[in-house]
Amino acid sequence: MIYFIGAGPGAEDLITVRGKNLLEQADLIIYAGSLVNPGLLKYAKPECVIMNSAHMTLEEVIAAMVPAAQEGKLVVRLHTGDPSVYGAHREQIDLLRGYDLDFEIVPGVSSFCAAAAALKAEYTLPNISQSVIITRMEGRTPVPNRQKIADYAQHKATMVIFLSSGMLEKLSQELIKGGYKADTPAAIVYKASWPDERVVKCTVGTLAESAAKYGINKTALITVGGFLGNEYDRSELYNPTFAHGFREADPSKLDLKPEVK
Ligand code: SAH
């Protein structure tokens, strides 16, 4: 069996219980060494073979996985965050299908969730944004037409921008081209959940200079939008004037305050 496991954003205790249990049983672990916390490898049993995919090609990864899985070994492919977000696991799955091997995917905490936690923020504030756009700047990997930063900026929804902290001047320009004002709140979250995590609050216009000030040029997410401000509507779900399947409406509860000791 082959398991594609999300390692979480960095902190060793942000892997899922299921992911950790499988790491403990694995006979072969191939981990994405550029971003996965090597501390997670301590969960492996002593005889487990461990390989770092940062030095490997797709073909080499498959060539290592297939014979081990065919011998009945438990193979773990450990991806950073959640494998479904820029994880490049689809191409591995498609090659594995040719060998009639069983595989399963174990989700992980994506770094965009860890970034929200670091910011102590909610991406989906009522009347500010009800959508989160996960995207990236075009780099060596092209971005399809109508999916460029400027296209998405037009929506004024919360944006979480991966893989782009090395091109922040251009990112600012694209966001402004799409309609964001230069003073729109933005934040750079470096190594969310790692011991050296850093949160830098800035604006769309000051992304590059703010990152440069702290020497940040990789392992960071850029978040943009009104969710970083102080204006929003309270939720209907928890509003005393609003009834739903689990609760009657009771406007008198609007006056409810905690008892102060
Ligand atoms: N699958 C991963 C993303 C892999 S792409 C996930 O779900 O998080 C790699 C990019 O993710 C990095 O360039 C960076 O933009 C972002 N990233 C990964 N871990 C991060 C972390 N702990 N803090 C901030 N950004 C992170």
Side-chain angles (χ1 to χ4, degrees):
M1 189 71 157
I2 299 173
Y3 292 92
F4 291 88
I5 299 182
E12 287 168 25
D13 56 352
L14 280 178
I15 189 167
T16 63
V17 175
R18 186 184 297 182
K20 176 174 175 270
N21 288 342
L22 288 164
L23 279 184
E24 287 167 351
Q25 295 166 42
D27 301 300
L28 169 64
I29 297 174
I30 305 179
Y31 73 105
S34 53
L35 279 170
V36 168
N37 186 339
L40 286 168
L41 303 173
K42 69 167 181 260
Y43 297 131
K45 46 189 191 189
E47 65 275 25
C48 177
V49 176
I50 295 177
M51 301 174 87
N52 179 354
S53 65
H55 312 299
M56 299 164 79
T57 63
L58 166 64
E59 288 74 10
E60 286 169 334
V61 169
I62 300 299
M65 283 171 147
V66 169
Q70 282 174 336
E71 284 168 32
K73 294 192 169 139
L74 195 154
V75 176
V76 166
R77 177 72 171 105
L78 193 57
H79 283 278
T80 176
D82 182 79
S84 71
V85 182
Y86 304 112
H89 73 329
R90 169 68 193 264
E91 58 190 23
Q92 297 169 63
I93 289 168
D94 283 345
L95 288 180
L96 289 173
R97 284 190 207 276
Y99 298 92
D100 201 24
L101 290 166
D102 238 1
F103 65 87
E104 227 174 82
I105 295 158
V106 179
V109 178
S110 177
S111 58
F112 82 90
C113 301
L119 288 160
K120 299 189 170 63
E122 177 176 344
Y123 288 139
T124 53
L125 290 176
N127 216 12
I128 296 295
S129 172
Q130 289 293 288
S131 310
V132 183
I133 296 170
I134 289 172
T135 188
R136 62 171 300 168
M137 281 285 282
E138 189 158 48
R140 279 190 293 177
T141 304
V143 167
N145 267 342
R146 302 179 59 220
Q147 295 183 27
K148 314 277 186 206
I149 296 284
D151 299 318
Y152 288 131
Q154 292 174 26
H155 296 278
K156 304 284 161 51
T158 297
M159 291 179 78
V160 182
I161 302 153
F162 281 71
L163 295 159
S164 303
S165 42
M167 23 186 162
L168 294 180
E169 285 288 359
K170 186 90 178 53
L171 175 61
S172 285
Q173 286 165 14
E174 288 289 305
L175 288 165
I176 290 167
K177 190 168 125 196
Y180 271 118
K181 294 206 168 71
D183 63 358
T184 305
I188 303 164
V189 184
Y190 171 72
K191 291 188 87 174
S193 87
W194 289 76
D196 48 345
E197 167 186 295
R198 186 180 281 272
V199 172
V200 184
K201 297 248 177 103
C202 58
T203 62
V204 161
T206 59
L207 281 167
E209 64 188 77
S210 306
K213 196 164 152 196
Y214 297 99
I216 299 172
N217 55 19
K218 59 178 168 75
T219 328
L221 288 172
I222 313 305
T223 65
V224 178
F227 85 97
L228 289 161
N230 296 320
E231 304 278 315
Y232 64 95
D233 288 350
R234 68 173 288 174
S235 71
E236 297 294 8
L237 185 65
Y238 294 106
N239 193 324
T241 62
F242 187 84
H244 57 71
F246 296 94
R247 187 171 55 71
E248 302 281 304
D250 181 357
S252 73
K253 286 189 177 160
L254 269 172
D255 299 326
L256 186 72
K257 295 270 185 311
E259 269 179 45
V260 179
K261 288 193 185 135

